[in-house]
Amino acid sequence: MNTKIKVKKLNKNAVIPTRATEGSAGADLYACIEEAVTIRPGELVKIPTGIAIEPDSRELAVFLFARSGLGVKHGICLSNGVGVVDSDYRGEICVGLCNVSNKEYTVQPQERIAQMVVMPVMFADIIEAETLTDTARGSGGFGSTGKH
């Protein structure tokens, strides 16, 4: 399935998202900052990308994920786990980063800081119910299916 995402530069220094390879699921997002930003251990920062986007369908959303190299090598991940950019949001995409390592990390201007993946979304009608269907699992939660 091919779709289009319009990208508007909100800052002249912004970089349009790019895919590293033809098979890359995500397009890299770049830090649109004028000076380097150091993230201390345990610290949270918000890094602007200088872009806004518009998917060509309301049935698409853009999800922001950590770049594996930053996460595995440096402990830099998204502060909200996964960012969700709704199809009707037209503001600047900013990336919340956190440092879960024990060493400082410095984000450089125009460094690749996250990746965006376009995915379809389904809209469900939320309906209040008095009862739910019984299942074999029932209300068994975390760890209820065993450790394997």
Side-chain angles (χ1 to χ4, degrees):
M1 176 172 104
N2 240 353
T3 191
K4 292 186 178 19
I5 302 288
K6 290 182 184 175
V7 178
K8 178 181 178 182
K9 283 188 175 186
L10 303 174
N11 182 306
K12 64 179 173 50
N13 295 323
V15 177
I16 300 297
T18 59
R19 286 189 164 68
T21 68
E22 191 176 303
S24 295
D28 290 325
L29 293 172
Y30 296 80
C32 188
I33 51 179
E34 293 191 22
E35 298 178 355
V37 174
T38 297
I39 311 171
R40 293 185 294 278
E43 188 175 34
L44 308 174
V45 299
K46 186 169 79 171
I47 305 290
T49 64
I51 64 167
I53 62 170
E54 180 182 347
D56 65 1
S57 168
R58 78 176 202 87
E59 294 177 351
L60 297 172
V62 170
F63 296 86
L64 309 182
F65 295 96
R67 293 194 66 247
S68 58
L70 284 179
V72 172
K73 295 178 184 175
H74 303 288
I76 303 301
C77 49
L78 271 62
S79 56
N80 57 339
V82 173
V84 178
V85 183
D86 297 312
S87 66
D88 58 353
Y89 176 67
R90 295 296 181 269
E92 181 176 19
I93 294 177
C94 291
V95 179
L97 295 177
C98 64
N99 185 346
V100 298
S101 78
N102 59 3
K103 296 178 183 171
E104 290 184 345
Y105 182 82
T106 301
V107 178
Q108 300 296 328
Q110 298 190 333
E111 179 176 348
R112 296 176 298 159
I113 55 169
Q115 57 183 319
M116 65 178 217
V117 177
V118 179
M119 291 190 269
V121 292
M122 295 183 68
F123 298 96
D125 294 327
I126 309 297
I127 302 166
E128 183 178 2
E130 294 293 322
T131 61
L132 301 176
T133 306
D134 285 332
T135 66
R137 182 176 186 171
S139 61
F142 298 110
S144 67
T145 60
K147 182 178 179 180
H148 298 286

